[in-house]
Amino acid sequence: SIVERLYQGHLVACFGKNGRSYKSELAYVLDPLGKIIGIMEFIRPIDALADKNVNLWKTMLKARFDMLTELYNHDSFVETAHKFLKKYPEGKFVLGIWDVRHFKMIISSFGVAVGDMVLQRIGEIIKVLVKDKGIASRLIGDKFAFCLPEEMITEKWLRDNTEIIMVNWQGAYKFESQFGLCHLLYNGESIHVFLDRCMIALRSNSEASGDAFAWYTPEMAEKL
């Protein structure tokens, strides 16, 4: 029953027959590319040493993952993307940045909790999109990144699979997205270069209405 009530990062106190108190906690087991391959349960005595070890483990986890969405953070995404792309030296990929339009307005209208729910929903969607075909990250704020094989990515595919709808007591709301995309044939160049290109593309469609998609071109950089 304890296992059923636990989720990652949630602690439950329990008691053994010897009268000692214990903490029970679940954590995801990830492969080197960030895919969830299992779950571990940790049961520790509640004492100073156990608390110190738990805090150390959480600190290490926070250094690699975004705690809200459980995706890679910026630095881990860059590191993992290099490893991932090295496995496919002839592969053609697309790197994309996904941004929620008017996110500050969402927070000011609905509150921080709803803003977090929107971000978590994007995290859920992007995990389904990527699966074991690529990698994904919450870079910062409301900006997410993904790297996927080129043959998977079309604007229609993104439009059909990235719809964000949230429902509350007042009704259903669709939140608009914008995407900055660039083609990537890996040659050892820094991932930061491609992320910068995606950001340039993202800024180029900032005045468009509705969901918007922009592919990086050298002319965009020259114009900027």
Side-chain angles (χ1 to χ4, degrees):
S1 62
I2 288 176
V3 172
E4 290 172 355
R5 289 186 284 118
L6 283 174
Y7 55 89
Q8 182 169 348
H10 184 200
L11 292 173
V12 169
C14 50
F15 304 92
K17 291 182 179 179
N18 57 8
R20 294 192 67 185
S21 301
Y22 295 86
K23 285 181 179 177
S24 184
E25 184 172 11
L26 292 187
Y28 291 122
V29 181
L30 306 175
D31 69 9
L33 295 180
K35 180 183 176 183
I36 297 175
I37 56 174
I39 296 176
M40 292 181 66
E41 182 182 12
F42 297 89
I43 299 179
R44 300 180 177 87
I46 297 179
D47 55 37
L49 179 61
D51 285 343
K52 182 179 178 180
N53 290 337
V54 169
N55 290 334
L56 177 62
W57 173 74
K58 286 186 175 181
T59 300
M60 293 172 63
L61 195 64
K62 287 179 180 178
R64 287 190 58 79
F65 296 94
D66 169 59
M67 295 293 99
L68 183 64
T69 62
E70 298 168 359
L71 294 169
Y72 283 120
N73 60 26
H74 177 281
D75 292 344
S76 293
F77 176 76
V78 170
E79 175 190 339
T80 307
H82 278 293
K83 294 177 182 177
F84 175 73
L85 293 167
K86 279 182 180 179
K87 294 172 61 178
Y88 308 98
E90 303 299 322
K92 295 181 179 180
F93 293 86
V94 168
L95 188 69
I97 292 180
W98 178 0
D99 180 43
V100 183
R101 283 186 177 278
H102 314 301
F103 189 68
K104 290 181 180 178
M105 185 62 70
I106 294 171
I107 292 176
S108 64
S109 300
F110 298 101
V112 174
V114 172
D116 285 347
M117 288 172 61
V118 172
L119 297 176
Q120 288 174 322
R121 180 62 187 137
I122 295 175
E124 293 167 0
I125 292 171
I126 210 167
K127 286 172 194 172
V128 173
L129 290 183
V130 170
K131 294 182 181 176
D132 56 351
K133 302 292 184 182
I135 56 173
S137 163
R138 180 187 175 197
L139 293 178
I140 187 171
D142 61 328
K143 289 179 173 58
F144 293 75
F146 55 86
C147 182
L148 283 166
E150 189 177 76
E151 63 268 18
M152 288 180 62
I153 303 291
T154 65
E155 290 182 16
K156 183 180 185 305
W157 183 80
L158 284 173
R159 197 183 301 275
D160 291 345
N161 290 281
T162 59
E163 189 174 57
I164 312 167
I165 296 178
M166 301 293 288
V167 179
N168 65 12
W169 64 94
Q170 295 177 314
Y173 298 86
K174 180 183 184 299
F175 298 105
E176 297 175 349
S177 300
Q178 58 183 355
F179 296 84
L181 306 157
C182 75
H183 295 282
L184 193 163
L185 183 61
Y186 188 66
N187 57 3
E189 201 168 5
S190 171
I191 299 300
H192 290 100
V193 172
F194 297 101
L195 286 172
D196 286 344
R197 291 175 181 173
C198 290
M199 282 301 300
I200 291 172
L202 194 68
R203 289 172 185 148
S204 74
N205 63 17
S206 60
E207 300 302 319
S209 59
D211 292 336
F213 305 85
W215 292 84
Y216 170 82
T217 64
E219 289 75 24
M220 288 180 180
E222 291 170 9
K223 183 179 179 180
L224 185 63

